[in-house]
Amino acid sequence: MLTTMSLEEFGAVLASDAPAPGGGSVAALSGAVGAGLIAMVCRLSIGKKGCEAFTEELTKTVPKADALAAGLLRRVDLDTEAFNSVMAAFKLPKQTDEEKAKRTAAIQDGYKEAVQSPIAIASECVAVLELSRNLLGKSNPNALSDLGVASQQAYAGLEGAIMNVKINLPSIKDENFKSEISTELVQLLKQGREAKEQVYQFVSDNL
Amino acid sequence: MLTTMSLEEFGAVLASDAPAPGGGSVAALSGAVGAGLIAMVCRLSIGKKGCEAFTEELTKTVPKADALAAGLLRRVDLDTEAFNSVMAAFKLPKQTDEEKAKRTAAIQDGYKEAVQSPIAIASECVAVLELSRNLLGKSNPNALSDLGVASQQAYAGLEGAIMNVKINLPSIKDENFKSEISTELVQLLKQGREAKEQVYQFVSDNL
């Protein structure tokens, strides 16, 4: 389990010559700390001067941000598992025709999993970006930089996750699957980028 | 020590209503995982097909990336300590004129420290971005997404660190100090953004 490792241990295994954990797990971690910062910003805003009108909304956002943080942190492990399942499929025997067919199918399933994992990370990073956009003008000004950092982290997670989809997509033979994924990526990137830009503008104008 | 906490524990203390750790420590962590990915990409490239011509450069980059990863990871703790020293200064006694003067000086010193910490994070994130730019076309194509994620993380760390400088700058009275910092921020952002854009373009064109 990567998530029970210390930051130091995670840093060491990341930098090692093992291909996993790699960019997919890092993208998930980035989204998770972004969501954690959103939860912190809400907790530092509830009942604070200037935020009184938004108590209900801030209070409702806390469990949403906490759930996204927990979900994305789980994906730090899940993404590495998905990657490892592709690697395992490549090691299957390929002597007989039956073995070859089984191996090819396992590799294809592995790649689909290795693509669906970062798609889920991307989608959850967009949800974090939407939470950060929705807090503009409603949260504690003393934590405005934290709100900005949250959106930067979620956006880096989104872009990173998309790169992890794109590197595996050419290995998939199912054209319908590929076409659906590509459409989804475009939508997620558009939505996430708009939210990030809006948060950036607000933070820049108010810091 | 934050860096000896597990990812799960760090996530929990981040999301809590304690103002630190906050965005500054997260920016440092983001840069650290970016640097860690650079080190991994180099280790996965040395001696690999197509990378033979760059063995010396890849080998030289490993200790640079490892050092940046270690340094930025240390800054996860240092940034929270800097923040706490401002908070401690505010709690100093302020009955007599002498106490007031001491407290004001301690607060000013604390703010300067709280600004110098993210400036160092920003500068080291730019160094990570330069390493990633320098690897374009020289690293293992199977790890191209990891190189892209590295630069996204370092760039998010840079932007996040800058936000953490900007939120504290108005509290500092030393105009020369403020002016020097502002000039440095502009340069770091320009350099980092250029490197990030170049990596993004290369990764997008080749994934």
Side-chain angles (χ1 to χ4, degrees), chain A residues 49-70:
Chain A
K49 202 181 144 190
C51 304
E52 297 89 342
F54 310 110
T55 299
E56 196 185 329
E57 192 152 2
L58 290 162
T59 307
K60 275 188 188 167
T61 305
V62 170
K64 290 181 192 170
D66 281 341
L68 282 165

Side-chain angles (χ1 to χ4, degrees), chain A residues 36 39-46 48, chain B residues 12-21:
Chain A
M40 178 188 89
V41 169
C42 290
R43 290 186 167 103
L44 290 172
S45 302
I46 294 168
K48 290 288 152 58
Chain B
V13 68
L14 182 65
S16 77
D17 64 357

